[in-house]
Amino acid sequence: MSRTLIVTAVTAEADAVCAGLMGSWSSGRTRTPVGPGSLVSPEWDRQLLTTSTLGPYVGRRRGPVTVLAAGTGGPAAAAGTAVALSVASAAGQPFSLVVAMGIGGGFRGWAEIGDIVLADRIVAADLGAESGLDEEPPAPPIGRISEMDRNLGFHSNGAPAPRGGLAHSSNPAGSFLSLEDLGLGSSTVVPDPDLVHRMGTVLDVTGRRIVTGSVISVSTVTGTERRATALTERLDPVAESMEGYAVGVAARAFGVPVVEIRTISNTVGRRDRSGWNLPVALASLRTAAAALVTHPDGLVTAAPVATANDVSTTIPAGHPGARGHHGNSGHHGTGEH
């Protein structure tokens, strides 16, 4: 049975994920859902939700799945993910998959409140450098000008800066240079396409609308229509979060596959908390987590039912398991940007 690390930012997100993982108790082994009302929890749901110590962090474990609230923003997410992967590996129970999971903002025309977003590209939207034309700096305060200075064209605090002095720049106004443009590395983490395809099939059973495309990671949550438009023009994202790229970089450093799943709480644009719907987003997050452990292609490998002729073997929780199933998905995609 392979082990999965689910990384959220805050406790509320982790609570929703854990609630989904626990699901409704069932003594049966049937895990073939045909719709959102048919999700049946796997047998290990009989276990109690236990704590899992990962260095200075405390996660919550349910069978082979560990949930960690690492903190808000990229630095906290990267640190928590890296520590968890390192501790688990040192203990001989390495994680074989990392899932960045939580709520986020949806871009207008792509993802709406309550939708589930699956990232096929995870992009650090504001990691790089600004370039191009700048607004003209304000003129310095002008003191008393002598008649001689006036005749010579000088101000009392020196000659004024020429207007339009930055017009020689070859970059367009407001252009952004990514890490790739600067030759400093990659600002994009691309999840394995087969993994994204399989997760899309798994999430389909929730009955929620599934949107697949680029999810951007930002250090500052977008709060204006101007910035939302600029991000759309540059990256054509479907959703915005704060931690996905950092989680992806940490997972990539350990050679562990990563995927990002977000549920939408608000529309990206002018910051208006009255238009946010956190309960709906958290409910979708819980539903998504339930699908991850109940679908046959999800995070838990179904154990065969023993018969009289079988030799009963217990598979430890940390035992690596290979998965070879990939579902079909008809979700939206943004392609390469």
Side-chain angles (χ1 to χ4, degrees):
M1 185 179 292
S2 59
R3 296 190 64 205
T4 298
L5 174 66
I6 296 178
V7 182
T8 71
V10 297
T11 302
E13 294 170 323
D15 288 343
V17 170
C18 287
L21 297 182
M22 294 176 71
S24 301
W25 180 86
S26 173
S27 60
R29 293 175 180 266
T30 302
R31 298 193 304 114
T32 311
V34 294
S38 304
L39 298 178
V40 180
S41 299
E43 186 181 359
W44 51 259
D45 243 8
R46 299 178 185 181
Q47 302 174 12
L48 293 175
L49 191 67
T50 59
T51 59
S52 178
T53 302
L54 300 164
Y57 300 91
V58 177
R60 284 176 279 179
R61 183 170 178 176
R62 192 70 170 163
V65 183
T66 298
V67 181
L68 174 66
T72 302
T81 304
V83 168
L85 291 174
S86 179
V87 170
S89 180
Q93 293 186 329
F95 291 105
S96 56
L97 175 65
V98 174
V99 182
M101 212 165 173
I103 64 175
F107 281 84
R108 192 171 286 107
W110 274 115
E112 301 175 355
I113 292 176
D115 288 349
I116 299 175
V117 169
L118 178 62
D120 59 12
R121 287 163 54 88
I122 306 170
V123 184
D126 50 15
L127 190 57
E130 291 183 332
S131 182
L133 296 175
D134 198 0
E135 295 180 0
E136 185 176 348
I142 299 175
R144 189 170 184 274
I145 303 174
S146 68
E147 188 65 25
M148 181 179 293
D149 285 341
R150 187 188 306 277
N151 293 336
L152 293 175
F154 289 100
H155 289 182
S156 59
N157 55 353
R163 299 182 62 86
L166 299 175
H168 65 276
S169 174
S170 60
N171 293 315
S175 65
F176 180 85
L177 301 177
S178 66
L179 292 184
E180 289 87 348
D181 297 327
L182 297 169
L184 298 177
S186 175
S187 57
T188 303
V189 173
V190 182
D192 178 70
D194 287 340
L195 176 60
V196 174
H197 188 71
R198 177 162 64 90
M199 289 295 101
T201 300
V202 169
L203 294 172
D204 252 343
V205 303
T206 62
R208 300 293 204 277
R209 182 169 176 262
I210 312 299
V211 181
T212 301
S214 293
V215 176
I216 59 173
S217 297
V218 296
S219 297
T220 302
V221 174
T222 299
T224 65
E225 293 294 342
R226 175 182 294 181
R227 186 173 189 234
T229 298
L231 290 171
T232 297
E233 292 176 350
R234 181 161 60 89
L235 298 168
D236 192 20
V238 298
E240 172 185 279
S241 70
M242 298 184 74
E243 298 82 19
Y245 175 76
V247 173
V249 169
R252 186 169 59 188
F254 284 81
V256 180
V258 66
V259 68
E260 182 173 14
I261 298 171
R262 295 285 165 181
T263 57
I264 302 305
S265 61
N266 61 282
T267 299
V268 177
R270 183 175 65 86
R271 185 172 177 81
D272 179 12
R273 289 300 299 269
S274 66
W276 291 28
N277 198 327
L278 295 178
V280 167
L282 292 173
S284 290
L285 194 62
R286 174 176 177 170
T287 301
L292 293 180
V293 295
T294 55
H295 194 284
D297 279 343
L299 304 179
V300 180
T301 305
V305 179
T307 65
N309 297 324
D310 290 336
V311 178
S312 177
T313 303
T314 301
I315 301 177
H319 189 279
R323 304 199 56 84
H325 302 287
H326 304 290
N328 296 319
S329 175
H331 312 307
H332 300 286
T334 59
E336 297 296 321
H337 305 305

